Amino acid sequence: DTGVSQDPRHKITKRGQNVTFRCDPISEHNRLYWYRQTLGQGPEFLTYFQNEAQLEKSRLLSDRFSAERPKGSFSTLEIQRTEQGDSAMYLCASSPPFRLGNIQYFGAGTRLSVL
Amino acid sequence: QQQVKQSPQSLIVQKGGISIINCAYENTAFDYFPWYQQFPGKGPALLIAIRPDVSEKKEGRFTISFNKSAKQFSLHIMDSQPGDSATYFCAAGTSYGKLTFGQGTILTVHP
C-alpha cells in the first residue's frame, strides 16, 4: 500500500490550454475526493466519488472543470481553457468503505501554475 | 453555515511548551472533526480526529478537546518539538461526505 498517488506533481501551462491530472487512490478505497488549495488557505472541496458515481460537486467546479472515475478506480480531473486563477495545488484524497468516521488520506497533490 | 473558523493564524512556541489551536463551526450536522498536519510541498496528513459523542481524545502528545454546545474544538500539542513545526488544519464534516477545512495555523517551535 503506497498511499494516494497523484500525477504529475507539477504542471506549468499557458492560459487557455487544457490540463488533466490523475489520482490513484489507496487500493480498495471506494470514496475519492478532489480538493483545491491556494497559498495560505485550507483545502476547498471540489467533488467526490463513491465508486464510479460522482455524488457531489462544489459550486467552485465551473463548466471548465470535469472529473471522472471510470470503473471506480483511478480518477482524472480536467481543466479546460485554463485561467490564471486556476493556479493552485490540486489534492486528491481517498477513504475506505464502512469505517466509522470519514478518514480521508491525501496525496501529495499536483501544483498547477498557469502563465 | 458551512464555515469552519480557525485561530490563531500563526503560533510561535518554545520547545517543550504547549501549542493550542482553536476552531469553531456552525453546521450542527457535522459529526466528524479531524485535525491535519501539512509540511511544505506535501499533502495534509491526518493527526487525530474526534466525534461529538466524546469531549476529549488523546493520542500521544496530541489531544482534541470538543465542546458540542459551544460548537468549538481545539488541538493541544504537549511538549512541542521543532519537528512539529508545520501548518495545522482543523476540519469538519459528516460521516461520508466532504470535509470543510479551517484557514490553517502555521506553528513554529523554537529549539
Side-chain angles (χ1 to χ4, degrees), chain A residues 61-72:
Chain A
L61 215 66
S62 75
D63 291 345
R64 296 185 297 106
F65 288 71
S66 62
E68 294 182 342
R69 192 183 183 198
K71 302 179 183 177

Side-chain angles (χ1 to χ4, degrees), chain A residues 1 4-5 10-11 15 18 23 25 34 40-41 52-53 57 63 67 70 75 90 98 100 104 108 114:
Chain A
D1 185 350
V4 177
S5 177
H10 304 275
K11 179 70 177 179
R15 189 176 53 186
N18 299 343
C23 172
W34 285 99
Q41 299 295 318
E52 65 275 10
K57 291 170 60 174
D63 291 345
S75 176
Y90 290 83
F98 311 124
L100 189 63
Q104 297 187 18
V114 182

Side-chain angles (χ1 to χ4, degrees), chain A residues 41-97:
Chain A
Q41 299 295 318
E44 292 178 295
F45 171 77
L46 292 178
T47 189
Y48 124 74
F49 293 84
Q50 181 162 300
N51 300 311
E52 65 275 10
Q54 189 173 20
L55 296 188
E56 188 174 353
K57 291 170 60 174
S58 164
R59 288 171 298 170
L60 292 174
L61 215 66
S62 75
D63 291 345
R64 296 185 297 106
F65 288 71
S66 62
E68 294 182 342
R69 192 183 183 198
K71 302 179 183 177
S73 55
F74 70 92
S75 176
T76 58
L77 178 68
E78 180 183 17
I79 308 174
Q80 296 183 326
R81 306 181 302 282
T82 52
E83 301 173 356
Q84 288 187 327
D86 297 330
S87 296
M89 175 78 86
Y90 290 83
L91 293 164
C92 176
S94 69
S95 284

Side-chain angles (χ1 to χ4, degrees), chain B residues 55-70:
Chain B
S55 59
E56 187 175 283
K57 183 175 181 180
K58 183 176 180 180
E59 290 184 0
R61 296 185 295 111
F62 301 94
T63 300
I64 298 180
S65 297
F66 185 83
N67 185 330
K68 187 174 180 179
S69 60

Side-chain angles (χ1 to χ4, degrees), chain B residues 23-39:
Chain B
C23 281
Y25 64 98
E26 298 172 358
N27 188 342
T28 55
F30 289 151
D31 63 359
Y32 177 68
F33 303 89
W35 284 90
Y36 281 83
Q37 178 189 58
Q38 187 175 29
F39 293 104

